[in-house]
């Protein structure tokens, strides 16, 4: 019974020992993996790829921007991967943590050995082992071995080597070394990686996440006055690290910063208040900002102390450990005055509209409040490249089909505000306003209108841009300027085109003007011409599903192909003639005199007809023309507290020292074995050997020079 119990106990002890060895082996394998070079390189590769993604893809943008850019599927996919905030994503911070652990273990394993090797003289060598070195030399000397050793030590020390004499029986070993700082380079470089990663983690959003986890802080997702936002959405003055932005209009002040989050923002309270007195901006001739700075007054919230300062780009204000950078500038709520021109129906009565940038205004027209104007931007001046190529983009060859001709004409009119060109002709084309028209279903289109007329293709036009989504470029409707440099005449013609009675009167007038005779046969032809003019105006006005040139093109597709070219020429002549009479009828209705049929007004009519055709693509209930503004600038500051910055600077310094030491400092070891010559009493025998980590041409040259100097005035070396 006792023997059986002893066997059981012995088996249990053996099992426990095996389990202990297994757990130790698993731990050793894990440490070996974490501290291996291949593991660290793999982590650095992933960090490099993530950094490229974070550089190419704009970080911490509003989520709708990413939806518009990538679409719903890829937006959700990239969101799950955390690509919209790469540097604060959990997997990036985890990789950084593992890199710190890996590099720290590598330093812990290798640094003691390296430091021991730096202190070591490697004096445990024998004469025979020195003969196995590739770089070696032997010679004999008439000087006694003790005296020769002292002479050699002096010569070696003169070359910058540290030396040590070691007695080896009846022989003397001279051990010398130089460039031991090479080992420190390895330690510095690896320590720099750890320090930089720690600095990066200190400046990450880990403290904010910790406050969300421990203190229940949550992002704020809504609208409201910042001062009234509840405490659970605010971060206190003790927050160790943050990076936020604050927008301050001229004359206003702010004591908070906005920190973007994935599903909202956090409000960071500041220990001081920033008041923007004046924003200063200067531009290059290209329209790019040359200089922008902010004159501010800082008020300490604790003691009320105030002082003035100027914040410029690359010249931040640092106060109480918080840096305030000049980031950018925005509109601070400029006051706008505009005139609304109806773009639909027969109405031509204008009405005033006023708004404020970043605000909204209901579009009230005859009690119709189906649209809301969202004022998104204002620019007091725009520098555009107005150069054009030598080719006339509106030239149409007869070899093209009617559809192609109309398509080319349409694309030319709906192009960019200024065509691209090899030469540059930069001009300030005046102020512009940007806004969105949102209907009652929530759908919105964006518009960009210039205040002044712009000379494009030898004609002055008002540019009215439109786009359906933010990632599209603006397409511009070109409304020709009339004799009074306004859009009034074009709007008059537009309203007349939409009025059936005026179209009928214009068609009749055109037929009377084209065929003035009243004979019976001619009268029938006049009636047919009047009907053709009426049909052309109706098609162009959009009585069917299409309007403009596209409606005429589809109508002419019914004509046999061989006759389309001739029919198109006749139809366009009738349309142009009846449009002239429509314009004169509209002026007569308004109590204005008839205009002379000269080249200037013919050119205006042609441009007006093109713009009327394009207006169907503009698709807006009104055209808003800016008539005045009161500009209010705003400055955007980046406010940061980054305790890890100095830590990162230290890491960068160590990295530079480490890389420099590893690349430019070569460790060399030198041994000289000096003993009495057995074959010649009173003489000495010397054996020299030298080694280095990197066998370079410089090392070969150094060995030859050192060998020559040590053997100087001695007997030739032995073969």
């Amino acid at each position: 019974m006792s023997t059986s119990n002893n066997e059981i106990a012995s088996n249990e002890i053996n099992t426990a020992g095996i389990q202990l060895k297994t757990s130790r082996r698993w731990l050793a394998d894990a440490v070996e993996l974490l501290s291996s070079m291949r593991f660290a390189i793999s982590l650095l590769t992933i960090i490099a790829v993530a950094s490229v993604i974070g550089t190419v893809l704009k970080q911490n943008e509003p989520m709708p921007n990413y939806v518009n850019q990538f679409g719903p599927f890829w937006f959700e996919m990239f969101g799950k991967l955390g690509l919209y905030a790469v540097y604060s994503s959990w997997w990036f911070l985890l990789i950084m943590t593992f890199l710190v652990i890996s590099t720290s273990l590598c330093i812990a394993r290798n640094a003691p050995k390296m430091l021991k090797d730096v202190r070591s003289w490697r004096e445990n060598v024998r004469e025979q082992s020195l003969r196995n070195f590739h770089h070696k030399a032997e010679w004999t000397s008439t000087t006694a071995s003790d005296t020769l050793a002292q002479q050699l030590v002096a010569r070696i020390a003169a070359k910058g080597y540290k030396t040590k004499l070691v007695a080896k029986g009846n022989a003397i070993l001279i051990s010398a070394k130089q460039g031991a700082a090479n080992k420190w380079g390895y330690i510095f470089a690896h320590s720099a990686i750890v320090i930089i990663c720690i600095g990066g983690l200190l400046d990450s959003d880990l403290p904010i996440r910790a406050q969300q986890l421990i203190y229940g802080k949550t992002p704020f997702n809504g609208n409201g006055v910042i001062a009234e936002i509840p405490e659970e959405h605010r971060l206190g003055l003790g927050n160790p690290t943050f990076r936020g932005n604050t927008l301050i209009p001229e004359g206003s002040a702010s004591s908070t910063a906005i920190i973007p989050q994935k599903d909202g923002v956090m409000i960071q309270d500041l220990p001081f208040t920033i008041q923007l007195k004046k924003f200063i901006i200067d531009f290059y001739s290209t329209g790019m900002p040359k200089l922008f700075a902010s004159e501010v007054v800082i008020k300490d919230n604790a003691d009320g102390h105030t002082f003035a300062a100027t914040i410029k780009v690359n010249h931040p204000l640092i106060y109480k450990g918080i840096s305030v950078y000049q980031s950018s500038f925005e509109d601070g709520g400029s006051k706008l005055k505009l005139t609304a021109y109806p773009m639909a129906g027969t109405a031509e009565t204008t009405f005033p509209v006023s708004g404020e940038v970043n605000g909204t205004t209901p579009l009230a027209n005859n009690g119709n409040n189906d649209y809301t104007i969202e004022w998104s931007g204002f620019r007091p001046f725009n520098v555009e490249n107005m150069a054009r190529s030598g080719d006339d983009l509106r030239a149409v060859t007869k070899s093209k089909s009617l559809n192609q001709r109309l398509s080319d004409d349409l694309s030319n009119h709906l192009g960019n505000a200024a065509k691209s060109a090899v030469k540059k002709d930069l001009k300030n084309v005046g102020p512009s306003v940007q806004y969105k028209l949102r209907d009652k279903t929530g759908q919105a289109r964006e518009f960009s209108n210039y205040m002044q007329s712009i000379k494009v293709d030898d004609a002055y036009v008002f540019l009215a841009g439109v786009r359906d989504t933010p990632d599209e470029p603006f397409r511009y409707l070109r409304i020709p300027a009339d004799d009074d440099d306004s859009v009034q005449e074009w709007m008059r013609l537009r309203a007349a085109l939409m009025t059936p009675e005026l179209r009928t009167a214009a068609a009749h007038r055109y037929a009377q003007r084209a065929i003035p005779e009243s004979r019976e046969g001619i009268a029938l032809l006049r009636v047919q011409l009047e009907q053709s003019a009426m049909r052309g105006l109706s098609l162009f006005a959009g009585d069917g599903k299409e309007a403009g040139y596209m409606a005429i093109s589809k109508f002419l597709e019914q004509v046999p192909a061989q006759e389309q070219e001739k029919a198109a020429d006749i139809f366009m002549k009738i349309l142009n003639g009846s449009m002239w009479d429509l314009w004169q009828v509209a002026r007569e209705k308004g109590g204005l005199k008839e205009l002379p049929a000269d080249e200037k007004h013919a050119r205006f009519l042609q441009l007006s007809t093109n713009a009327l055709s394009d207006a169907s693509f503009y698709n807006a209930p009104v055209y808003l023309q800016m008539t005045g503004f009161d500009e209010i600038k705003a400055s955007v500051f980046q406010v940061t507290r980054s305790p890890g910055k100095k830590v990162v600077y230290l890491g960068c310094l160590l990295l530079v020292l480490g890389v420099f030491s590893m690349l430019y400092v070569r460790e060399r070891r030198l041994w000289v074995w000096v003993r009495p010559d057995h074959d010649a009493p009173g003489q000495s025998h010397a054996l020299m050997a030298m080694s280095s980590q990197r066998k370079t041409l410089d090392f070969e040259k150094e060995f030859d020079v050192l060998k020559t100097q040590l053997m100087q005035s001695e007997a030739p070396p032995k073969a």
Side-chain angles (χ1 to χ4, degrees), residues 406-669:
L406 295 178
S407 176
D408 290 347
D409 186 77
L410 184 63
S411 63
N412 287 333
H413 289 296
L414 283 179
N416 292 329
K419 298 293 182 181
S420 60
V422 176
K423 297 181 180 180
K424 290 186 177 180
D425 181 17
L426 301 176
K427 291 183 179 179
N428 178 16
V429 296
S432 65
V433 60
Q434 194 166 322
Y435 59 92
K436 291 181 180 179
L437 275 181
R438 191 174 301 276
D439 60 24
K440 58 184 179 181
T441 64
Q443 300 298 316
R445 302 180 80 216
E446 193 169 13
F447 299 85
S448 177
N449 298 344
Y450 287 80
M451 179 178 180
Q452 301 171 357
S453 62
I454 302 171
K455 189 176 183 180
V456 180
D457 293 342
D458 297 327
Y460 283 92
V461 296
F462 290 90
L463 296 176
V466 59
R467 64 183 178 185
D468 296 322
T469 58
D471 56 336
E472 292 181 357
F474 280 105
R475 296 174 297 160
Y476 284 89
L477 173 66
R478 302 180 181 185
I479 303 176
D482 55 27
D483 294 345
D484 297 328
D485 195 29
S486 71
V487 298
Q488 189 65 45
E489 289 300 317
W490 187 84
M491 292 295 175
R492 190 192 313 278
L493 184 59
R494 186 213 64 80
L497 183 63
M498 296 295 108
T499 306
E501 295 80 4
L502 294 183
R503 292 202 303 262
T504 302
H508 178 74
R509 174 173 171 153
Y510 169 70
Q512 292 288 341
R513 182 169 57 84
I515 307 177
E517 293 87 353
S518 58
R519 290 178 296 171
E520 182 177 351
I522 299 298
L524 180 59
L525 182 60
R526 183 190 298 164
V527 172
Q528 293 176 347
L529 182 59
E530 181 178 341
Q531 292 176 348
S532 298
M534 186 63 192
R535 182 184 300 110
L537 290 174
S538 299
L539 286 172
F540 195 78
D543 286 353
K545 294 182 180 180
E546 301 284 349
Y549 292 134
M550 296 302 296
I552 296 175
S553 175
K554 289 191 175 183
F555 173 76
L556 291 175
E557 288 178 356
Q558 305 173 18
V559 179
Q562 63 274 16
E563 299 180 8
Q564 282 187 2
E565 189 72 26
K566 181 179 179 180
D569 291 337
I570 296 174
F571 203 93
M572 293 303 295
K573 289 180 181 179
I574 296 175
L575 176 64
N576 291 333
S578 56
M579 286 294 292
W580 171 267
D581 287 286
L582 179 64
W583 185 17
Q584 304 313 311
V585 168
R587 286 181 59 85
E588 182 180 343
K589 177 187 175 184
L592 302 174
K593 64 179 182 179
E594 183 175 342
L595 295 172
D598 52 19
E599 182 179 354
K600 175 184 177 182
H601 294 104
R603 172 68 169 164
F604 174 82
L605 181 63
Q606 183 60 54
L607 295 175
S608 297
T609 305
N610 295 335
L612 288 170
S613 176
D614 299 343
S616 60
F617 293 88
Y618 191 67
N619 193 23
V622 294
Y623 163 72
L624 299 180
Q625 184 181 34
M626 188 161 50
T627 57
F629 59 87
D630 181 13
E631 184 185 10
I632 300 176
K633 302 184 184 73
S635 189
V636 179
F637 298 107
Q638 185 181 77
V639 187
T640 65
R641 174 182 281 162
S642 51
K645 180 173 63 176
K646 295 182 179 179
V647 178
V648 172
Y649 287 162
L650 174 62
C652 292
L653 176 62
L654 290 179
L655 184 61
V656 171
L657 293 175
V659 172
F660 181 85
S661 300
M662 289 190 293
L663 293 179
Y664 298 103
V665 178
R666 294 179 293 109
E667 182 183 17
R668 285 94 73 200
R669 295 280 182 164

Side-chain angles (χ1 to χ4, degrees), residues 238-249:
N239 187 19
T241 176
F242 59 84
R243 185 182 301 272
N245 296 294
T246 180
L247 185 148
I248 307 176

Side-chain angles (χ1 to χ4, degrees), residues 44-66:
L44 285 173
T45 302
I46 298 175
I47 290 176
V49 173
S51 300
V52 170
I53 296 174
T55 302
V56 175
L57 182 62
K58 290 185 178 181
Q59 301 291 287
N60 298 313
E61 289 282 302
M63 290 298 113
N65 292 3
Y66 296 120

